[in-house]
Amino acid sequence: MRNLAALICTALALPAEALPVERCINLGNALEAPTEGEWGYVIQRDHITSVAKAGFDTVRLPVKFSGRWNGERIDPALLARVDEVIGWAREDGLQIILDLHHFDELMQAPGAYADDFFAIWQDIAAHYRDAPNDLIFELLNEPSYELTTEGAVALFDRVVPMIRSIHPERWIILGGGRWSAATEMAGLPVYDERTAHTFHFYLPFEFTHQQAHFIDQPPPPRGWGTAQDRAETATELARGLSHDSAPVLLGEFGVYEAAPEQDAIDWLAFVARAADSAGVGWCVWSIAPPFAILETESGTWRDGRLGALMSER
Ligand code: BGC
């Protein structure tokens, strides 16, 4: 039926279906760590409710499936935990983007791990065989290092038909190389009308990642917000927001906690409003420190950051 619908839309020149994600928050630093909690965050039931009440419609759940893969199956304990979080989100009316995150070995040696990538997705696709369409699959976070867009597409070409045979209507999100840079989306295929493309946006990197502890030579302190800053950021952002071969998701954007708070708030508002104006859904990085929107210890929102994201369009 979907293919028929697509044919009719094309024949009548109707707009393609929109990705049903507008305002999303990443549940990062939890399940993509080697074990949940190791990076300082364990997803809490009441955090999910706070997310729904704040007006988000979707959560993106990064998971390091490759870390709990024994060559034959994903650790059932990890899947049970993912199921639990998905269940919480669903109870609160949120959609879930399930994102295969931090498959580091695949980035270093794509050929050697292509079969594992396929088999992990076979396992996920089978496990979520009966899941409603509020569950969205994002095949691979930030292809990088040895994995180019072309290399990622070779992986997707194999995995998407397998997933489609089980999930004919589920949205599938694809990102390109260079850490899902905006311009890499041009090299991504559109398999069908429920394929979306994603890009990540942290520019200027020297602002969003200033003093970040996980960078070898972290950028020094700096602000953001001059007319020139805004013009340059708008130009870079437009490269992603104007992509039109498939529905687009701005799948990550955020500011490290060392940045001047008011500048961080201004940058978040600037990026979110630009995406809103372009009709592109966004997913902020991330709920927990060190890019936090929520004070996860106390469960209270950083009001300035939340307000920047959720202000009226
Ligand atoms: C990575 C995080 C990182 C963030 C911002 C994400 O894709 O998984 O570890 O903090 O990007 O750099």
Side-chain angles (χ1 to χ4, degrees):
M1 274 313 283
R2 295 224 56 80
N3 288 342
L4 182 58
L7 275 176
I8 292 169
C9 287
T10 310
L12 299 176
L14 295 174
E17 194 177 353
L19 178 72
V21 177
E22 292 186 4
R23 296 178 165 194
C24 164
I25 188 164
N26 277 280
L27 303 180
N29 274 23
L31 288 168
E32 85 277 26
T35 53
E36 189 181 8
E38 205 170 318
W39 291 353
Y41 184 48
V42 174
I43 299 167
Q44 309 285 325
R45 177 69 188 91
D46 59 323
H47 293 174
I48 303 291
T49 301
S50 297
V51 165
K53 283 193 178 150
F56 294 97
D57 53 60
T58 306
V59 290
R60 179 173 181 259
L61 182 61
V63 183
K64 187 176 170 71
F65 286 108
S66 59
R68 307 272 287 274
W69 167 250
N70 68 3
E72 284 181 8
R73 64 174 195 167
I74 299 165
D75 180 353
L78 176 65
L79 279 175
R81 175 62 175 150
V82 171
D83 288 350
E84 181 175 49
V85 175
I86 290 175
W88 291 344
R90 186 171 285 141
E91 274 171 15
D92 287 343
L94 295 163
Q95 303 173 108
I96 308 98
I97 299 172
L98 183 60
D99 149 47
L100 189 147
H101 212 92
H102 283 329
F103 194 164
D104 305 319
E105 301 86 346
L106 182 71
M107 306 302 164
Q108 301 297 342
Y113 290 92
D115 287 348
D116 287 295
F117 179 73
F118 183 83
I120 290 172
W121 269 111
Q122 259 184 325
D123 211 7
I124 299 170
H127 185 77
Y128 291 108
R129 175 180 299 277
D130 299 320
N133 283 337
D134 61 0
L135 178 66
I136 295 168
F137 288 158
E138 182 173 338
L139 299 193
L140 184 61
N141 182 66
E142 294 189 351
S144 45
Y145 297 101
E146 300 305 315
L147 189 60
T148 60
T149 299
E150 209 182 7
V153 170
L155 300 172
F156 301 155
D157 281 349
R158 220 179 129 199
V159 166
V160 171
M162 178 276 293
I163 294 177
R164 270 288 171 261
S165 68
I166 306 173
H167 301 269
E169 297 192 349
R170 192 172 308 290
W171 278 95
I172 293 177
I173 300 179
L174 312 173
R178 297 195 300 118
W179 292 270
S180 293
T183 48
E184 298 291 316
M185 289 190 290
L188 293 172
V190 182
Y191 294 105
D192 49 42
E193 74 275 22
R194 287 211 176 170
T195 304
H197 294 166
T198 190
F199 74 105
H200 293 178
F201 190 79
Y202 290 100
L203 300 176
F205 187 80
E206 295 72 20
F207 169 67
T208 64
H209 281 67
Q210 59 187 281
Q211 303 176 72
H213 70 275
F214 55 89
I215 297 177
D216 285 342
Q217 291 182 317
R222 64 157 274 185
W224 181 89
T226 65
Q228 190 185 346
D229 285 340
R230 287 168 187 268
E232 286 171 5
T233 301
T235 302
E236 294 293 344
L237 192 50
R239 297 185 209 284
L241 298 179
S242 63
H243 178 69
D244 64 359
S245 68
V248 177
L249 175 72
L250 169 51
E252 285 188 18
F253 67 109
V255 187
Y256 191 77
E257 60 195 1
E261 188 62 9
Q262 188 56 50
D263 292 3
I265 289 168
D266 291 346
W267 185 90
L268 287 167
F270 186 85
V271 174
R273 292 298 79 74
D276 286 343
S277 303
V280 168
W282 49 257
C283 200
V284 67
W285 186 273
S286 179
I287 191 165
F291 286 68
I293 309 298
L294 186 77
E295 298 290 352
T296 44
E297 292 282 317
S298 62
T300 53
W301 291 105
R302 288 189 177 172
D303 288 334
R305 289 188 176 216
L306 183 69
L309 294 167
M310 305 313 256
S311 63
E312 286 309 310
R313 277 171 262 200

mmCIF file of all heavy atoms in Angstrom, residues 99 126 215 281 285:
data_model
loop_
_atom_site.group_PDB
_atom_site.id
_atom_site.type_symbol
_atom_site.label_atom_id
_atom_site.label_comp_id
_atom_site.label_asym_id
_atom_site.label_seq_id
_atom_site.Cartn_x
_atom_site.Cartn_y
_atom_site.Cartn_z
ATOM 1 N N ASP A 99 18.783 4.467 18.181
ATOM 2 C CA ASP A 99 19.965 4.851 17.414
ATOM 3 C C ASP A 99 21.130 3.938 17.768
ATOM 4 O O ASP A 99 21.489 3.812 18.948
ATOM 5 C CB ASP A 99 20.249 6.329 17.754
ATOM 6 C CG ASP A 99 21.713 6.707 17.705
ATOM 7 O OD1 ASP A 99 22.368 6.347 16.727
ATOM 8 O OD2 ASP A 99 22.178 7.373 18.652
ATOM 9 N N ALA A 126 14.193 -8.207 14.346
ATOM 10 C CA ALA A 126 13.355 -9.331 14.783
ATOM 11 C C ALA A 126 12.738 -9.019 16.151
ATOM 12 O O ALA A 126 11.558 -9.261 16.387
ATOM 13 C CB ALA A 126 14.192 -10.605 14.855
ATOM 14 N N ILE A 215 38.046 15.983 24.636
ATOM 15 C CA ILE A 215 38.852 16.370 23.477
ATOM 16 C C ILE A 215 40.300 16.554 23.931
ATOM 17 O O ILE A 215 40.541 17.140 24.995
ATOM 18 C CB ILE A 215 38.312 17.686 22.877
ATOM 19 C CG1 ILE A 215 36.882 17.459 22.380
ATOM 20 C CG2 ILE A 215 39.198 18.188 21.749
ATOM 21 C CD1 ILE A 215 36.245 18.699 21.833
ATOM 22 N N GLY A 281 12.548 18.940 11.816
ATOM 23 C CA GLY A 281 12.520 18.517 13.211
ATOM 24 C C GLY A 281 13.931 18.493 13.780
ATOM 25 O O GLY A 281 14.904 18.320 13.053
ATOM 26 N N TRP A 285 21.081 17.667 21.823
ATOM 27 C CA TRP A 285 22.037 16.880 22.600
ATOM 28 C C TRP A 285 22.366 17.690 23.828
ATOM 29 O O TRP A 285 22.945 18.768 23.665
ATOM 30 C CB TRP A 285 23.301 16.585 21.773
ATOM 31 C CG TRP A 285 24.227 15.647 22.504
ATOM 32 C CD1 TRP A 285 25.196 15.977 23.395
ATOM 33 C CD2 TRP A 285 24.222 14.211 22.431
ATOM 34 N NE1 TRP A 285 25.797 14.848 23.889
ATOM 35 C CE2 TRP A 285 25.221 13.753 23.314
ATOM 36 C CE3 TRP A 285 23.457 13.278 21.709
ATOM 37 C CZ2 TRP A 285 25.494 12.392 23.481
ATOM 38 C CZ3 TRP A 285 23.732 11.927 21.883
ATOM 39 C CH2 TRP A 285 24.739 11.509 22.755
#
